[in-house]
């Protein structure tokens, strides 16, 4: 009897403690791994969703194109685009990125409206260069403009101002001199 408790005690103690320690070490290692891996996984998934969300928003805005109506007063002030009152067929589109922000605006106005618009920008109609299309093809493509199309009477100018003031590319279609159609791309580089 003395052997049996001593023998089983020794076997049980070494078997129990020897089998328990590796299990605890393994369990601790798994818990530490999970405490590191789970938050890291969430961060990675969140970053991918955030990036995809930004790309989706840009694509949605691009697909939407010009929106009918006047841009907000804040946009007009920031981008220095004083659209004349009583203009028709007003539409706008804004793009923003870390490097550059642009406001695309089109409107049909009167001869006096065009003169007032240019006067507020510190210039006049005589400064418009005949047959000049100052809006680039890439800019026009973003909003579906056909500026520079053959068979139309075009004129344009670029107004450069000191940063952070916007740079304005203005192109005018003068097919109907009483009601010119004005295209403006105002760009801000922060």
């Amino acid at each position: 009897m003395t052997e049996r408790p001593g023998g089983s005690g020794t076997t049980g103690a070494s078997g129990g403690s020897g089998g328990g320690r590796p299990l605890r070490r393994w369990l601790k290692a798994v818990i530490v791994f999970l405490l590191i891996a789970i938050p890291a996984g969430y961060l990675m998934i969140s970053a991918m969703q955030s990036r995809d969300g930004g790309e989706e928003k840009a694509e949605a805005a691009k697909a939407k194109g010009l929106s009918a109506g006047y841009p907000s007063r804040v946009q007009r002030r920031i981008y220095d685009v004083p659209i004349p009152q009583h203009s028709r067929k007003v539409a706008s589109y804004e793009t923003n990125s870390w490097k550059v922000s642009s406001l695309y605006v089109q409107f049909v106005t009167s001869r006096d409206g065009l003169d007032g618009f240019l006067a507020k920008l510190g210039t006049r109609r005589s400064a418009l260069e005949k047959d000049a299309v100052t809006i680039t093809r890439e800019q026009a493509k973003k909003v579906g403009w056909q500026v520079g199309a053959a068979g139309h009477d075009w004129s344009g100018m670029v107004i450069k101002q000191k940063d952070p003031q916007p740079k304005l590319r203005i192109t005018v279609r003068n097919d109907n001199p009483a009601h010119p159609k004005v295209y403006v791309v105002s760009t801000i580089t922060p």
Side-chain angles (χ1 to χ4, degrees):
M1 280 191 162
T2 46
E3 272 183 46
R4 193 170 179 198
S8 68
T10 307
T11 308
S14 65
S17 64
R21 284 188 185 151
L23 179 62
R24 276 191 230 151
R25 286 184 188 152
W26 181 82
L27 185 60
K28 284 181 184 178
V30 168
I31 290 172
V32 169
F33 172 77
L34 291 175
L35 287 172
I36 294 170
I38 290 174
Y42 278 118
L43 285 173
M44 190 171 78
I45 290 169
S46 176
M48 288 182 347
Q49 287 175 342
S50 176
R51 189 188 72 183
D52 291 344
E55 290 172 358
E56 287 172 11
K57 285 179 185 175
E59 287 300 317
K62 192 173 181 181
K64 184 179 175 188
L66 290 168
S67 296
Y70 282 77
S72 71
R73 287 184 185 187
V74 172
Q75 287 174 314
R76 285 181 272 167
R77 191 182 79 241
I78 290 170
Y79 289 99
D80 204 8
V81 182
I83 302 169
Q85 289 185 348
H86 310 296
S87 293
R88 297 179 296 115
K89 298 182 181 177
V90 179
S92 65
Y93 173 71
E94 183 180 20
T95 62
N96 294 302
S97 73
W98 290 105
K99 295 180 182 180
V100 66
S101 295
S102 297
L103 180 67
Y104 296 71
V105 179
Q106 70 179 37
F107 57 90
V108 175
T109 188
S110 64
R111 184 176 273 192
D112 291 341
L114 178 59
D115 288 339
F117 169 73
L118 295 172
K120 287 180 181 176
L121 295 173
T123 188
R124 57 181 51 171
R125 192 177 335 165
S126 60
L128 289 167
E129 187 179 332
K130 181 123 176 87
D131 298 323
V133 176
T134 56
I135 294 171
T136 68
R137 286 185 184 193
E138 293 78 22
Q139 290 171 329
K141 186 177 177 182
K142 281 187 181 181
V143 291
W145 285 341
Q146 301 295 317
V147 293
H152 297 284
D153 181 11
W154 298 101
S155 60
M157 69 170 54
V158 176
I159 299 175
K160 296 180 181 178
Q161 304 177 83
K162 289 184 178 180
D163 286 336
Q165 295 298 313
K167 175 182 179 180
L168 287 95
R169 292 179 176 274
I170 302 167
T171 299
V172 181
R173 190 174 78 196
N174 300 296
D175 294 350
N176 180 351
H179 297 287
K181 186 165 187 178
V182 181
Y183 301 87
V184 181
V185 178
S186 178
T187 305
I188 297 173
T189 307

